[in-house]
Amino acid sequence: QALVVLVYNYGARSLFKEDRLLMGLHMCMMLSPEEFPPDERDFFMNITTYVVDPSDTTHPGWIETDVLAAYQAMVKNIPGLHKKLNICDAEEGAWKQWIKGADPEAKLPGSADELPMFSRVCAIAVFRPDRLPVALEKVVVAMLSLDSLNPPSANLGQIAAQETLPTEPVLMNTTPGAVPSQEWAKMAAKVVGSGRFNQLAMGGGQTQEAIQPFKQASANGEWLLLKNLHLVVAWVGDLEKEFTNLQPHDDFRLWLTSEEHNAFPSILLRSSLKVTFQAPPGMKKNLSLRRPRLTRLLRLRRPGLLRGLLQRPLPQRRLLLRRLPRRRLMLRRLLLRPLLPRRPLLRRLLLNRLQ
C-alpha cells in the first residue's frame, strides 16, 4: 500500500489539481477491477449520453425530470443495482429527503448505504450529479489509502538532490500566482552557490539570446532556469534539439517553467521531470503554506508586533508600518491587505495560527 501512495503522489505531483481525480480513479480501476462491475462501469462512462424515453411512464412520481434520463437508463442497463436501491413509492419520503440533502454522498437511504462504493457512486451520478466529484474523491482516497488527492508540496531541494539528472530537464508547470522562481533561486544558492546558477525570462525576442547561456551552463556544470516557455512555444522545439545534442557536465541542470499551453511540444513533456506548482484549494491549505513564513516573522526582536498589528484597524496599520524596514516587504504587504478587517473569521484563523 505504501508503494501505491508513493506512485500516486509521484504522478499527481506533475498534474494540475483538476486532473488528479481522473488519475486516481484510473489507478483504482487498474488495481481493483473487481470493485468496478463491467455493467456499472459502462453505465457510468455513458451516463451523459442517455435521453428520456417518453413512452416509459413506470418511474415513481417523485423522480425529477432533470435526472429522468439517467434513471431510465439505470433501470434498463443495470436492473440489479436498481433493485438493490429499493426505489419505490413506499420509500418516497426517504429518497426525497436524501436527494435534497447537502451531502448525499455521506449516507444513502436504508439498505442502499450498504452497497459497494462504486454502486453508491452510480446512484449519486443518477440522482445528484452535482455531488459526483465529491463522491468519487472519497472513493479514490479510501481505495488508495490517501490523506488527500493533493500530494505533499514539492520540495525543490529534495528533488534536486535525489531526482534530477544532467540529461533530463525539470519542467515546473505553473499557474498565475504560483511561480516558484524565488524559491528556486534560494534553493540553487544553497546547493550550487550564488555564482553558479542563472535564470532568464523568455519572451520579447530573447530566444536566440538564451542559447549561449544554455551552452555555457552545460559546459561549466552550472544551473539554468528558463522561465515562461509558454510565451515561446514555437522555439521550444529548437531548445529540445539543442538539449538532445549536448554532452553536458555532470553538475549541469536545466530547469524550465511554463504555464499550460495546448501547443507545447509533447517530446519535451515526455522527456522531462515534471512538477506542478498550483495554489492549493481552500483557505486552510493556503494558510498552511504561509505558516512557516509567518512563524519566522514572529522570531523578530519584537515577537508581538505581528499579532498586535493584525488586531488593529487598517488605517492604524498603515501608520505603524511606516516604521518597518523596507526589507520586511512581505510583512508589509500581508498586513496592508484590506481583506483581514472585512473577514473576521480569516483574521482569527491567522491569529490562532500564530500562537
Side-chain angles (χ1 to χ4, degrees):
Q1 197 62 46
L3 178 61
V4 172
V5 175
L6 183 64
V7 170
Y8 172 83
N9 286 336
Y10 184 85
R13 187 181 67 181
S14 65
L15 299 175
F16 292 108
K17 56 190 177 186
E18 56 266 23
D19 300 320
R20 292 167 185 163
L21 177 58
L22 183 59
M23 174 192 168
L25 184 60
H26 179 72
M27 287 184 62
C28 291
M29 289 183 173
M30 295 297 102
L31 293 171
S32 304
E34 69 280 358
E35 298 290 339
F36 301 86
D39 54 346
E40 294 183 8
R41 185 184 60 205
D42 293 341
F43 167 77
F44 179 79
M45 295 295 186
N46 297 286
I47 194 168
T48 59
T49 64
Y50 300 119
V51 295
V52 175
D53 181 3
S55 63
D56 184 1
T57 59
T58 59
H59 59 274
W62 53 269
I63 300 292
E64 299 182 0
T65 56
D66 56 341
V67 301
L68 182 56
Y71 175 79
Q72 291 177 342
M74 179 179 65
V75 174
K76 180 179 179 181
N77 295 286
I78 44 177
L81 175 59
H82 176 259
K83 183 178 180 180
K84 293 176 182 178
L85 290 175
N86 193 26
I87 299 174
C88 58
D89 290 332
E91 299 291 335
E92 176 180 351
W95 279 99
K96 289 177 69 174
Q97 183 178 2
W98 174 79
I99 288 176
K100 295 179 180 179
D103 55 346
E105 69 282 351
K107 182 177 177 59
L108 269 66
S111 60
D113 194 55
E114 301 175 2
L115 293 173
M117 285 190 291
F118 192 66
S119 297
R120 299 199 299 269
V121 165
C122 289
I124 293 169
V126 171
F127 296 107
R128 284 294 301 272
D130 59 307
R131 300 296 296 177
L132 183 58
V134 179
L136 285 174
E137 180 176 347
K138 288 189 174 184
V139 170
V140 172
V141 168
M143 293 187 68
L144 299 183
S145 300
L146 303 173
D147 295 328
S148 168
L149 287 183
N150 300 311
S153 300
N155 186 322
L156 288 179
Q158 184 177 359
I159 292 173
Q162 300 179 4
E163 302 183 41
T164 59
L165 296 171
T167 56
E168 182 183 44
V170 181
L171 176 60
M172 295 183 283
N173 303 313
T174 64
T175 56
V179 180
S181 301
Q182 293 183 354
E183 180 183 351
W184 179 88
K186 293 179 181 178
M187 181 272 299
K190 291 181 181 179
V191 177
V192 296
S194 58
R196 294 184 56 81
F197 70 91
N198 192 15
Q199 49 183 321
L200 296 175
M202 306 305 296
Q206 297 181 1
T207 54
Q208 295 306 317
E209 298 178 5
I211 295 298
Q212 183 59 34
F214 169 68
K215 293 182 177 180
Q216 181 179 348
S218 172
N220 298 337
E222 299 173 348
W223 286 15
L224 178 64
L225 172 63
L226 299 180
K227 301 185 289 187
N228 304 327
L229 288 189
H230 59 282
L231 301 178
V232 290
V233 170
W235 174 79
V236 174
D238 297 336
L239 173 65
E240 194 274 331
K241 292 177 182 178
E242 291 284 349
F243 188 81
T244 303
N245 296 327
L246 279 180
Q247 296 295 328
H249 190 282
D250 289 343
D251 295 332
F252 170 65
R253 296 294 186 272
L254 177 62
W255 301 74
L256 313 168
T257 71
S258 176
E259 294 182 14
E260 187 177 9
H261 198 293
N262 293 332
F264 199 92
S266 59
I267 295 177
L268 185 60
L269 280 175
R270 289 196 295 265
S271 61
S272 300
L273 174 64
K274 292 170 286 294
V275 184
T276 296
F277 288 84
Q278 189 174 16
M283 181 175 65
K284 182 178 179 180
K285 289 186 177 293
N286 275 285
L287 286 176
S288 66
L289 288 184
R290 292 184 178 273
R291 185 177 183 180
R293 287 183 290 178
L294 294 174
T295 303
R296 287 195 297 270
L297 289 172
L298 287 177
R299 293 173 182 166
L300 302 173
R301 288 182 183 175
R302 299 167 64 186
L305 174 66
L306 184 57
R307 282 192 292 266
L309 286 175
L310 281 173
Q311 293 172 338
R312 292 177 178 269
L314 184 61
Q316 294 184 24
R317 266 187 264 166
R318 287 198 180 100
L319 180 62
L320 292 172
L321 284 172
R322 291 176 184 174
R323 305 175 185 176
L324 285 177
R326 286 289 176 182
R327 61 184 177 84
R328 300 178 190 171
L329 183 60
M330 194 277 285
L331 176 62
R332 297 172 64 88
R333 288 177 177 173
L334 174 67
L335 295 176
L336 283 175
R337 287 179 182 173
L339 174 68
L340 293 175
R342 294 200 305 263
R343 298 280 297 276
L345 176 60
L346 177 58
R347 186 169 61 183
R348 275 201 307 275
L349 285 172
L350 272 173
L351 290 172
N352 291 337
R353 285 279 187 180
L354 295 171
Q355 296 186 3

